[in-house]
Amino acid sequence: MNKYLEQLIVLSQIDKELDGFTLRVDNATKDLKDKRVLLDKTEEEINAFDKDIKDLENQKNQNNTHIAEFGIKIKELAKKSAAVKTEKEANALKIEEDIAKEQLDAANEEIERLDKILENKEKFKQELQTKRIELENEVDQIDAQTKVVLVDIEKERLEVYDKKVKLVSEINQKVLTFYEKIRKWAGNSAVVPVKKHACYGCFMRIYDKTYLAVLKGDEIITCPHCGRILYREREENQN
């Protein structure tokens, strides 16, 4: 087999292995990323509860202000009632006092309602805070484990990369440029085998003349359909 073709076959395998490290890193960090997303979501939910609780507290404060105002108004109306001279004035003050008392009762009922909501909000918030602490601990543990795995992966990647550097230094520059040009669009399928008379990059049947040239392996042959570099696999070599 052509020396340069042999080198390109090995180089394509190394490049494929190097690209595979990206997937390994993604898989190694997936759990950590998922837990961090869950932690961020929990933090957002806690912040939402904080906002709701603050709004409810403001509503309570407003109602307490109204209660104080209604209380003062009722006292003032009581004083006025003691000084009325006509039944008409008395009836008017009585109506006004009844309305103030109804408003006072409504404000007190509203505070009771808000207190119940606040109690539930605080309960859910505490549950989320407990969940956040648990998630933070899990993230710390997974982060420590992930770092160990990533160190091992990087060590392996550097070993493979060193092989590529050594091989690239031995390959003819024109051949290497030709390979890289194809790899830009073909990725890890820049160099593919021929099986059953077909290119295993585009899976198109190749012409007999091209097929025979691939079998000989004396030159670097490309697929007439897709332009990938072709080579004969060992199985076909034995047949």
Side-chain angles (χ1 to χ4, degrees), residues 48-49 52-53 56 115-127:
F49 273 109
D52 290 344
I53 289 170
L56 290 167
D115 280 336
K116 289 179 181 178
I117 297 174
L118 273 169
E119 185 179 353
N120 287 329
K121 293 283 185 181
E122 289 287 359
K123 180 182 177 182
F124 289 134
K125 178 186 171 182
Q126 288 175 3
E127 291 175 355

Side-chain angles (χ1 to χ4, degrees), residues 69-84 89-103:
E69 291 172 351
F70 295 144
I72 293 171
K73 186 174 183 179
I74 291 170
K75 288 180 181 180
E76 290 176 348
L77 290 170
K79 290 179 181 179
K80 289 181 180 180
S81 296
V84 294
E89 289 178 343
N91 289 336
L93 287 172
K94 180 68 169 59
I95 292 172
E96 194 173 351
E97 185 180 1
D98 288 343
I99 293 173
K101 286 180 178 179
E102 287 178 3
Q103 291 174 326

Side-chain angles (χ1 to χ4, degrees), residues 178 182 185 190 202 222-229:
F178 178 64
I182 297 174
W185 59 265
C202 65
T222 58
C223 174
H225 305 292
C226 67
R228 289 177 172 87
I229 298 169

Side-chain angles (χ1 to χ4, degrees), residues 1 193-195 231-238:
M1 183 183 288
V194 171
K195 294 181 181 180
Y231 70 93
R232 175 180 58 176
E233 273 202 322
R234 291 181 180 178
E235 289 183 357
E236 292 197 7
N237 194 17
Q238 293 172 356

